[in-house]
Amino acid sequence: MVRGKKNMNDNDILRIIESQDKDEIEDLFSQVQKVREEHYGKNVYLRALIEFTNCCKNDCYYCGIRCSNLKLERYRLSLDEIINCCITADKLGLKTFVLQGGEDPYFTKERVKEIILAIRGEFPNHAITLSIGERPYSDYELFFHAGANRYLLRHETACAVHYSKLHPKGMILASRKEALQTLKKIGYQTGAGFMIGSPFQTPQTLLKDIRFLEELQPQMAGIGPFIPQKDTPFSAYPCGSIDLCLKMLALTRLLLPKALIPATTAMETIDKNGRELALKAGANVIMPNLSPVSAKKLYTIYDNKAAGKEEAAENLLYLKEKIISSGYLPDLSRGDAK
Ligand code: SAH
C-alpha cells in the first residue's frame, strides 16, 4: 500500500523507487490519476517545440550536441524561420511556443530579446517558453520583460557529486539551483527536471531529485530516460528504464499535484507506448516538434529520437488521436500552471 502523499518519508520513496511489486505500482498509478484529475481533469496540454539551434558551448557528457562532438553538423534557425515555425504552430491551434536550443553564444541577449519581441508582436496572447540553459541573471530579467513567460531548465540531478560526474568542471549544481530560484523569483513559470538512468545514478540520488522538486516547487517538471548518443563519452551506457521513469513521474505527480509534466519524446523513444504510459503515470503535457524537418534531424541530443510524423498537421492529428484513445482530452489552451 502506498502511503498518502503528505506523509511520504524517505523510506517510502526509496521503497517505491526499488519496488518490483506490480500491485504496489498499480496502486501508485491509480492514486496518481486521482490527484491529476483533481487539478487538471483528463486534459493534456499541447505545446509547440521549436529547436532553434544545435550549437552549444557546453560539454555535458551525456548530450549529443555538446561542443566536443565534431561529427555533428550544426545549424541555427533565422528569425524568419523561427517566426514561420510559430505561424505554423498557431495555425494548428497551439498557443505555447517552446524555444529550445544549445547554449549558443551567437544568440546574445540582444538577439534573444529580438526573437521574443518579434514573437510577442505577432502573437500577443501566446505563451513563450525558453529552454536555453544557464545565462546571466540579467538576461533572464531582460527576456522576461521582453515577454517570455516560462523557462525550462532541468537540474539533471540534485546530487552535487553525481552532477559533477555528468558535467565538465566549471558546471556545478549550486549554479543550476540558483538559476532555478532566480527564474522563479523573476516570475517565470519555471520547469526543473532530471534524466532517469543517467550513468552513476542511484536510488539515493533519485530521492534527492524528488526532495529538490518538493523544495523548489517548480510549475513544470521534465522527466525522461537517459538515452546514449554514439558520439559522447556516455555512448556505451544503457538507456534508463521505462518502469523507473514511470515510477518517478508518478512520485513527482503525487508530490507536485499541480505541476505540468510532459510525456517526453525520450519516453516515446525507448518504448513505443511511452507517451501513453507517461500519461497514465501522471504526465499532462505533450510537446509536438514543430522544428523544420532539417533541424529535427540535427537536434540529436540522443540517438534514435522519436521523430513523429514529418508533417506538422498530420503529426498533431496523430497525437490528438493518441491522447483520446488513451482516455484523455487534448487541450489547446495556453495551459498555464494553476
Ligand atoms: N541547452 C538547454 C536545453 C538542453 S536539451 C539546457 O541546457 O537546458 C534538453 C534536455 O535534454 C536536457 O536538459 C537533458 O535533460 C536532456 N538530454 C540531453 N541529453 C540527453 C540524453 N543523452 N538522453 C536523454 N536526455 C538528454
Side-chain angles (χ1 to χ4, degrees):
M1 181 59 194
V2 179
R3 286 208 219 178
K5 54 189 183 268
K6 292 266 154 33
N7 49 9
M8 248 199 269
N9 62 35
D10 287 0
N11 284 335
D12 293 328
I13 293 175
L14 286 169
R15 213 200 44 251
I16 292 171
I17 291 173
E18 292 175 288
S19 175
Q20 306 285 348
D21 178 343
K22 286 218 164 67
D23 291 340
E24 182 174 49
I25 296 167
E26 279 309 313
D27 182 35
L28 175 70
F29 292 159
S30 59
Q31 272 199 51
V32 159
Q33 285 310 318
K34 276 186 219 138
V35 172
R36 164 243 180 80
E37 283 180 29
E38 235 168 77
H39 299 287
Y40 290 105
K42 293 215 169 263
N43 297 22
V44 177
Y45 300 94
L46 290 150
R47 330 282 203 199
L49 177 64
I50 303 166
E51 297 158 336
F52 70 101
T53 172
N54 73 349
C55 303
C56 192
K57 68 177 161 57
N58 264 343
D59 217 13
C60 309
Y61 302 147
Y62 46 83
C63 184
I65 66 170
R66 66 200 299 267
C67 62
S68 294
N69 181 3
L70 301 179
K71 292 199 176 148
L72 180 63
E73 182 187 331
R74 305 282 171 167
Y75 74 90
R76 291 183 179 111
L77 299 188
S78 67
L79 178 57
D80 279 353
E81 287 172 311
I82 295 172
I83 295 292
N84 279 333
C85 292
C86 295
I87 292 172
T88 305
D90 173 63
K91 280 193 184 138
L92 295 172
L94 298 165
K95 289 178 192 65
T96 293
F97 309 127
V98 182
L99 296 176
Q100 186 173 86
E103 296 197 8
D104 182 353
Y106 171 85
F107 287 102
T108 56
K109 61 177 188 288
E110 292 81 11
R111 287 197 170 110
V112 175
K113 181 179 168 188
E114 186 191 6
I115 294 169
I116 297 167
L117 289 175
I119 299 176
R120 247 310 141 253
E122 291 276 332
F123 304 102
N125 300 317
H126 286 50
I128 301 175
T129 306
L130 300 177
S131 178
I132 51 176
E134 283 181 49
R135 312 263 316 198
Y137 302 157
S138 51
D139 287 14
Y140 291 155
E141 266 175 352
L142 184 77
F143 303 157
F144 187 76
H145 293 301
N149 316 91
R150 305 180 188 146
Y151 206 106
L152 304 175
L153 182 70
R154 289 187 176 179
H155 64 278
E156 314 296 359
T157 170
C159 167
V161 175
H162 186 209
Y163 194 94
S164 72
K165 292 180 183 171
L166 301 182
H167 301 99
K169 271 204 180 68
M171 282 181 78
I172 59 167
L173 178 63
S175 315
R176 180 97 2 178
K177 284 184 166 178
E178 207 180 319
L180 283 161
Q181 295 288 3
T182 304
L183 289 163
K184 267 200 92 179
K185 215 179 296 159
I186 292 170
Y188 284 98
Q189 292 171 47
T190 302
F194 53 104
M195 285 177 286
I196 306 299
S198 56
F200 318 112
Q201 188 172 69
T202 65
Q204 290 294 338
T205 65
L206 287 170
L207 172 63
K208 285 190 178 163
D209 289 318
I210 291 291
R211 292 302 185 210
F212 174 67
L213 290 180
E214 255 187 311
E215 178 194 318
L216 179 69
Q217 291 287 319
Q219 287 88 356
M220 301 171 284
I223 294 168
F226 160 76
I227 302 172
Q229 202 285 332
K230 62 180 174 20
D231 304 309
T232 62
F234 288 168
S235 59
Y237 285 91
C239 285
S241 105
I242 184 86
D243 291 336
L244 187 55
C245 281
L246 297 172
K247 288 189 285 183
M248 297 313 294
L249 269 182
L251 284 171
T252 303
R253 169 60 65 205
L254 288 187
L255 295 166
L256 299 175
K258 294 187 183 175
L260 290 152
I261 303 177
T264 54
T265 307
M267 300 271 293
E268 187 78 357
T269 302
I270 60 162
D271 188 302
K272 65 179 189 333
N273 291 320
R275 282 217 189 83
E276 180 172 355
L277 293 169
L279 296 177
K280 300 220 148 87
N284 61 343
V285 170
I286 289 184
M287 306 192 344
N289 196 328
L290 268 281
S291 315
V293 176
S294 57
K296 262 189 233 177
K297 291 198 173 121
L298 294 174
Y299 198 81
T300 46
I301 50 179
Y302 49 78
D303 287 333
N304 309 315
K305 195 165 135 213
K309 310 256 182 258
E310 261 196 18
E311 211 265 310
E314 198 192 344
N315 192 39
L316 188 68
L317 197 64
Y318 168 79
L319 285 173
K320 283 183 181 167
E321 280 166 3
K322 258 275 61 125
I323 293 168
I324 293 167
S325 67
S326 314
Y328 298 92
L329 296 168
D331 188 329
L332 286 171
S333 68
R334 249 176 74 132
D336 286 292
K338 295 200 170 152

